[in-house]
Amino acid sequence: MTTNLMRRKERCGSSSAAASAVLMEGELGVLTDVKKLIVGDDSKAGGYQLTPDNVVAIWPDQASAASPLSIAWWINRANGAAVKLRLPAGTYNVLNDLTIPANVYLEIDHGAVFSVAGGKTLTLNCEIGVDVQPLFSGSGTVVENYVRRLHINENLISHRRHFWGEGAVLGVSGSMGAAGAVANNEYMRLSYVHSDFFAIEGSVVYTFRAHGPCKAFLVFFDASKQFLTTKEPSLAALQSEEGYTFSSPDGAAFVRITSSVRDQADVLQRSTINDVGFKHLYKLERGSVATSFSLSLRDMQDPVYVETKERPKNNEEAARQLVSCAESYLNKGWVYGQAPARNDTMTTGGPPSAALTDGGGTKQIDCITHMVLALNGIDYFQSKYFNNTLPWRNVKYYTWGKYPNHLYLHGLSMWCYNNGWEIEPGINYSKLQAGDLVFWGTTPYKEGHEEYDKYFREIDHVEMFTGRWVPDPNRNNELHPQTIGTGQASPIVKYNFVDRVAANPLIQSSVENIRMFARIPLETPFTEYDSKLTTDDVVYSSYYKPSVLVYSNGQPLKIDIYGRNAAVWEIGGLSQAAGAEVVMPNRIRSEYVPANSSYKNRAALEAAGFTNVAYFFYTADFQYLGTTQSPTAKYSRMVFKKANNSEITNSDFATFSALTAIQKGYRDTIENGKYPPGFHSYAHLETVIPNGARLDRHNGKYAYTTDGVTWTELPEADQAKLMALRIGDGENNIYIPNGQHVKLTRRWID
C-alpha cells in the first residue's frame, strides 16, 4: 500500500475576510480576531467552523477589552446586541470594575469561577446558566442583579427529612390552633407533612412546581417567624409545566410548606413522612419561568429510601452492639409516653426538655422512640434523657443510623418494607439475628382500632430481638427468643419474647398479631477516630488495635481510651447516712454503676494524689443499702478525694477523669491474647515529637519525620505503649489533651 504525504495548507485572516473566502477541500483557516478554526469543502463561502461560538478565553484580567475573547472584549463586540458567552472550567480574574449588561447570557461550565480582586466590583446585570456550584472567589464585591439563575437544577426547597415533620402548618386560625402553628393530631399526621422554615425574600417573584401526586399550600412568616399570610395554588397549577408563579408578601423572610398527596380528582390520600422526596416533591425557583424538573439528586435531594431487594447479612458484632444500645434504656425509671417522638424535629438539637418528661419530672418513652434511638446508635448515656445538653442525633459510626428518623410506626415499618428488608423468621425463628425488628399489629377490638386501620398492616408496636433464647417463667422455664422493647405496663422498658402469648390478646400484642420481621442493614462497627474532626472526644468502635498517626505541636503525646458505660463523674459527695447527693467541693462522685464494678488505674490515681473514700450500694430500685455490699445490691456509687483533702479544682478534675475509668469487675485480665472489651488503655509518651513532625508507621515501627525522608524511631518503651493501645467495644472516651492532630485508624500504615 502506498501512503501519500502532503503538507496541509492553512490560511489566516479576520472573520470578516473569511466570510467570503472559499477554502479548498480540507484546507484549514485560522480566524485571528475571534480565535476560531474553520475547514473548507471547496464550495462553501466561510467554510465550516470547528470551534464553539463565543467562548471566553482565560486572560489576566477579564475587564480588559484589549484582550481578545475576554468578557470585556465580547461585550464591546456585541455592542448591545444579544449574545451568549460560554465560560469553560477555569478561573476568570476580574482585576478592575466590570459590569456585564443585560444583553449578555453567560453559559458557565462546572468548575468555572470568577475571582474578583480586592476593592473591585463585578456587577452581573445579565442572565446566567450554571450548575449548582461555587461561582465566586476573591475578596472583591459581586453585585448579583441578574433576573434569575437559569441553571436547570436550582431548587430552593430541601427534601432532606430533617427539614420535614408530620402534620400541617395551619394557614388560618381555627379549632386546631392559631395560623402558622403546627397541627399534628392523629388525622393530620396520617395525611399531611410540613416543612421547616425556608428562607425567601419579600416582594420577589417565585415559581413553585410539584412533581408527582402532591399538592401544597405556602405559609409565609416575617423575620421574627411571625405568621403573615397563606397562598394555596390549585393542583392543576402546581403540576403544569409552567408551575405556580406568585409574588412573596411584603416583609416575608421565611416560608413553610404543608404538603398532601392527592389523586387526579383532588381527593386526599394517606401519606406520611416516609413519602418526602418521593410523593412529596417540589421545586421552588426565583423568577417567573419554571425550568426542567430533573429527577437527579439535586431535585430529588436524597429521597427517603432506595428500592432494593437485597437481604442484608449483618456483622455479628455490629448487631450485638445495636442490641446493647437498646438495652442501655433498661431500669431508668420511665413512664410511657410519646412526647419525645412528637417533639423531635429530627435535627441534632432534638426535643425540648419539657418533651422528655411527663410534667412531673419522670422521663417518658414509647416503643418507636426507643427503637429509633437504638437504630441511630444513641445509647441512654448519650441521649438527652441522661443529659439534656447532648445532641439528639450524634451518630459516630453507624452510617446506616442516619436513615431511621421516622417518628411513627407507620413510617418505620413502611420504610423497612419498601427497602425490601422484610425477612422470613424461619421455622421456630431459626433465621432471626440479633437486632432484627419485630412488628405487632392491633386487634379488631383494641381501643382506637379505627385509627390503627389507617396504618401499614395496622402495625402499632415494635421491639428488637436480642439474639438470645432465655427461660420463660410463664412457660415452665422453656427457652424462647427474647426481645427488648417498651410497653405501657411497668416496667416500661423491659425484656419480652418474640413468641409471647398474651393473657388477653384482644387488648395486648400477642404472637398471633405479628405483622412483620425486618432487618436493617448494619455497617461493621469499626471506625477511624480523627481528633481534628471530633469535638466531644467520643468515638464508637468495636475492639481493635489502632494505628496512630500524629501531627505534633511539640508537646508530649497523651492518649487515653476507656469505655464510658460507667465513667460518669462530677464534683460532690454522698451522705453515708442516706446515700443522697450532698455538696462537697473536696469530693468526686460517680453515677450509678453495676454493683460489681471497679475503678481502673489505682496506682496512677494514687501517684496523682487521689484516693477512694467509699463505695455506696443501692437496690434495683435505687434504695440505699449502706457502704457494705450485700447480696441485694444491684448498683453502687463511688466517692474519691485528694489525699490532702483539698478542694477539687478544674485541673484536678480533668486529671482524675483522664486517669481512671469504671468498668464491670473481672475485665482487667488478658484472655486469648486480647483485653476484655472496654478495658482502659492509654499511651503517655516520654518522647517529645518536634513541632511540625509527623508520627507514623515506618518499616514496622513507630517513627517521626519532618521532611518525609529522614525517620527517627521512637524508644522501645514508647513503641510498646502505642502497640498496646486497644479500643474497647461500646462507647469510648478518647482524650488527647495536648492539642495534637491525632488519627487512630484500624489498619497499619506501613
Side-chain angles (χ1 to χ4, degrees), residues 63-74:
S64 172
S67 300
L69 306 187
S70 70
I71 293 177
W73 185 89
W74 278 115

Side-chain angles (χ1 to χ4, degrees), residues 674-750:
K674 292 184 177 181
Y675 287 100
F679 185 78
H680 176 53
S681 63
Y682 59 95
H684 293 177
L685 300 192
E686 303 297 333
T687 304
V688 177
I689 304 169
N691 189 19
R694 182 177 93 248
L695 171 68
D696 208 335
R697 293 277 295 174
H698 184 69
N699 295 329
K701 295 282 189 178
Y702 280 106
Y704 60 85
T705 181
T706 56
D707 57 10
V709 177
T710 303
W711 291 81
T712 303
E713 291 185 4
L714 292 181
E716 286 301 320
D718 287 341
Q719 296 275 354
K721 290 179 181 179
L722 293 179
M723 291 292 290
L725 278 176
R726 294 292 190 278
I727 307 294
D729 65 350
E731 185 178 357
N732 296 272
N733 282 349
I734 296 181
Y735 290 96
I736 303 172
N738 295 317
Q740 287 102 336
H741 176 195
V742 175
K743 294 178 72 174
L744 304 178
T745 73
R746 64 175 179 266
R747 61 184 178 87
W748 300 118
I749 318 177
D750 289 341

Side-chain angles (χ1 to χ4, degrees), residues 468-728:
R468 298 186 290 264
W469 288 65
V470 299
D472 182 359
N474 295 319
R475 286 180 281 188
N476 300 317
N477 285 325
E478 297 171 349
L479 296 181
H480 289 270
Q482 184 189 56
T483 61
I484 175 75
T486 297
Q488 299 186 26
S490 183
I492 303 302
V493 180
K494 56 194 170 188
Y495 290 116
N496 227 311
F497 295 97
V498 173
D499 60 345
R500 67 185 176 197
V501 178
N504 188 347
L506 296 181
I507 60 174
Q508 294 175 308
S509 295
S510 193
V511 62
E512 61 266 35
N513 295 325
I514 291 178
R515 296 290 191 265
M516 185 172 71
F517 295 87
R519 179 176 301 157
I520 295 176
L522 312 184
E523 296 290 338
T524 57
F526 298 105
T527 190
E528 296 184 359
Y529 172 87
D530 189 338
S531 65
K532 190 175 183 179
L533 305 176
T534 307
T535 58
D536 55 2
D537 292 327
V538 175
V539 61
Y540 290 96
S541 173
S542 178
Y543 174 93
Y544 74 93
K545 180 179 177 180
S547 181
V548 180
L549 177 64
V550 180
Y551 296 95
S552 177
N553 61 356
Q555 298 294 317
L557 176 66
K558 294 183 179 181
I559 302 175
D560 288 280
I561 303 170
Y562 53 79
R564 185 197 165 197
N565 64 318
V568 182
W569 305 98
E570 59 187 357
I571 297 176
L574 297 170
S575 164
Q576 291 208 11
E581 296 181 356
V582 293
V583 177
M584 298 184 71
N586 60 341
R587 296 289 190 270
I588 298 175
R589 66 186 175 223
S590 77
E591 182 51 89
Y592 292 96
V593 298
N596 66 340
S597 298
S598 59
Y599 62 94
K600 304 301 182 185
N601 250 8
R602 179 191 298 267
L605 278 177
E606 292 178 349
F610 297 97
T611 182
N612 176 248
V613 175
Y615 285 75
F616 295 74
F617 295 96
Y618 303 81
T619 65
D621 56 356
F622 303 102
Q623 299 300 308
Y624 180 55
L625 295 173
T627 56
T628 302
Q629 186 169 6
S630 67
T632 58
K634 297 297 183 183
Y635 294 98
S636 68
R637 301 183 73 176
M638 303 176 201
V639 173
F640 291 79
K641 69 174 183 177
K642 293 185 69 176
N644 61 9
N645 208 27
S646 60
E647 288 193 4
I648 306 298
T649 65
N650 289 337
S651 177
D652 293 333
F653 188 70
T655 299
F656 177 87
S657 297
L659 286 177
T660 194
I662 296 178
Q663 296 292 334
K664 291 182 179 180
Y666 313 109
R667 303 184 96 178
D668 54 354
T669 57
I670 297 177
E671 298 175 359
N672 298 322
K674 292 184 177 181
Y675 287 100
F679 185 78
H680 176 53
S681 63
Y682 59 95
H684 293 177
L685 300 192
E686 303 297 333
T687 304
V688 177
I689 304 169
N691 189 19
R694 182 177 93 248
L695 171 68
D696 208 335
R697 293 277 295 174
H698 184 69
N699 295 329
K701 295 282 189 178
Y702 280 106
Y704 60 85
T705 181
T706 56
D707 57 10
V709 177
T710 303
W711 291 81
T712 303
E713 291 185 4
L714 292 181
E716 286 301 320
D718 287 341
Q719 296 275 354
K721 290 179 181 179
L722 293 179
M723 291 292 290
L725 278 176
R726 294 292 190 278
I727 307 294

Side-chain angles (χ1 to χ4, degrees), residues 237-249:
L238 273 178
Q239 294 180 336
S240 69
E241 290 294 323
E242 297 77 18
Y244 169 68
T245 300
F246 65 92
S247 293
S248 57

